[in-house]
Amino acid sequence: MFIVFEGIDGSGKTTQARLLAEHLRRARGIEPLLVREPGGTDLGEKLREILLSSPEDLAPETEVFLFMAARSHLVRTRILPAVREGRVVISDRFIWSTAVYQGTAAGIDPREILRLRKLAAPGLAITRTFLIDVDPESAYRRVRAPNRMEARGLEFQKRLRRGFLALARTRSHGIVLVDGGGSVEQVHRRVLSGLPARGWSCSSP
Ligand code: TYD
């Protein structure tokens, strides 16, 4: 089972991914693999450093290939082997982030980016995507020490949100739109109510 959390910067999705992992451990005795993008491998962490801190300006097309390179390696070396063993994998961001950050918000046709999925992640089905939706203004206030992406400002965050909501309307990748407002606990309960009912039996490590 492969579960993805998506959302704009400051949406709280990292916290929610962690809380879901803790819930699965505590309540279901399942030990999930929790990964983040970009990152999760030595190569991925090096690419992350470049992507988030490059002093050089990178074209969105260049970024697509770097994010995809990190993803391709993470999928092949960690995600697919775990899913094939029957484990639950939770990823903090996946291909929708590229489709929205480099696509909708930065000017590349998101469909072109989504087409690269077959190359980057062959044979990996997304069981559920939780899109944590928050108002960009309050999310932006939560971002401390902005990275290169976050430094693009509030207008960019607003474009990101529109991009994510447009993707959600396509209803692909088992999308569940989660209202990210309220307390962390309230959002966590909304996530739990959106979990798939079936497919857990063989998920323990
Ligand atoms: P990170 O500090 O992990 O932010 P967050 O906790 O919000 O995920 O930095 C990742 C940044 O990279 C984030 O601003 C989103 C951006 N990003 C892209 O632009 N494209 C992508 O494909 C991915 C995976 C992330």
Side-chain angles (χ1 to χ4, degrees), residues 91-162:
S91 187
D92 181 352
R93 296 195 183 280
F94 201 60
I95 195 157
W96 275 22
S97 282
T98 322
V100 171
Y101 278 76
Q102 282 65 47
T104 329
I108 303 174
D109 182 346
R111 287 168 303 183
E112 291 289 332
I113 294 173
L114 291 172
R115 256 180 237 132
L116 296 173
R117 177 164 168 233
K118 278 202 205 103
L119 202 61
L124 179 63
I126 301 174
T127 317
R128 184 66 86 241
T129 298
F130 289 106
L131 172 58
I132 310 293
D133 181 49
V134 290
D135 132 63
E137 261 135 75
S138 38
Y140 200 57
R141 266 184 259 122
R142 287 192 205 158
V143 174
R144 288 180 213 102
N147 63 42
R148 218 169 53 79
M149 307 291 165
E150 291 155 351
R152 290 175 186 175
L154 182 57
E155 277 315 306
F156 189 74
Q157 298 296 319
K158 288 183 181 168
R159 288 214 292 279
L160 293 175
R161 187 199 194 189
R162 284 198 292 273

Side-chain angles (χ1 to χ4, degrees), residues 3-196:
I3 298 175
V4 176
F5 282 82
E6 297 276 15
I8 63 175
D9 302 291
S11 59
K13 64 180 173 39
T14 304
T15 305
Q16 292 302 328
R18 186 178 46 76
L19 285 178
L20 175 60
E22 278 166 19
H23 166 84
L24 293 178
R25 269 184 219 117
R26 221 185 31 245
R28 303 196 188 208
I30 290 171
E31 185 55 46
L33 172 66
L34 183 59
V35 293
R36 70 167 177 185
E37 280 214 351
T41 63
D42 285 351
L43 175 71
E45 292 298 328
K46 284 181 189 136
L47 289 172
R48 178 184 179 87
E49 175 67 26
I50 294 170
L51 278 157
L52 301 190
S53 320
S54 169
E56 215 176 0
D57 227 14
L58 303 176
E61 290 79 359
T62 308
E63 290 177 357
V64 167
F65 289 112
L66 294 175
F67 279 115
M68 286 292 182
R71 178 167 302 133
S72 163
H73 191 56
L74 176 66
V75 166
R76 284 172 169 80
T77 60
R78 299 198 63 204
I79 299 181
L80 267 177
V83 168
R84 287 188 180 133
E85 274 174 26
R87 289 187 67 187
V88 176
V89 180
I90 302 173
S91 187
D92 181 352
R93 296 195 183 280
F94 201 60
I95 195 157
W96 275 22
S97 282
T98 322
V100 171
Y101 278 76
Q102 282 65 47
T104 329
I108 303 174
D109 182 346
R111 287 168 303 183
E112 291 289 332
I113 294 173
L114 291 172
R115 256 180 237 132
L116 296 173
R117 177 164 168 233
K118 278 202 205 103
L119 202 61
L124 179 63
I126 301 174
T127 317
R128 184 66 86 241
T129 298
F130 289 106
L131 172 58
I132 310 293
D133 181 49
V134 290
D135 132 63
E137 261 135 75
S138 38
Y140 200 57
R141 266 184 259 122
R142 287 192 205 158
V143 174
R144 288 180 213 102
N147 63 42
R148 218 169 53 79
M149 307 291 165
E150 291 155 351
R152 290 175 186 175
L154 182 57
E155 277 315 306
F156 189 74
Q157 298 296 319
K158 288 183 181 168
R159 288 214 292 279
L160 293 175
R161 187 199 194 189
R162 284 198 292 273
F164 275 122
L165 290 177
L167 265 186
R169 281 194 290 274
T170 66
R171 301 193 174 278
S172 55
H173 300 174
I175 173 73
V176 171
L177 185 62
V178 176
D179 173 3
S183 70
V184 166
E185 189 49 41
Q186 280 170 323
V187 181
H188 177 54
R189 278 201 295 273
R190 289 176 202 137
V191 168
L192 293 186
S193 67
L195 284 176

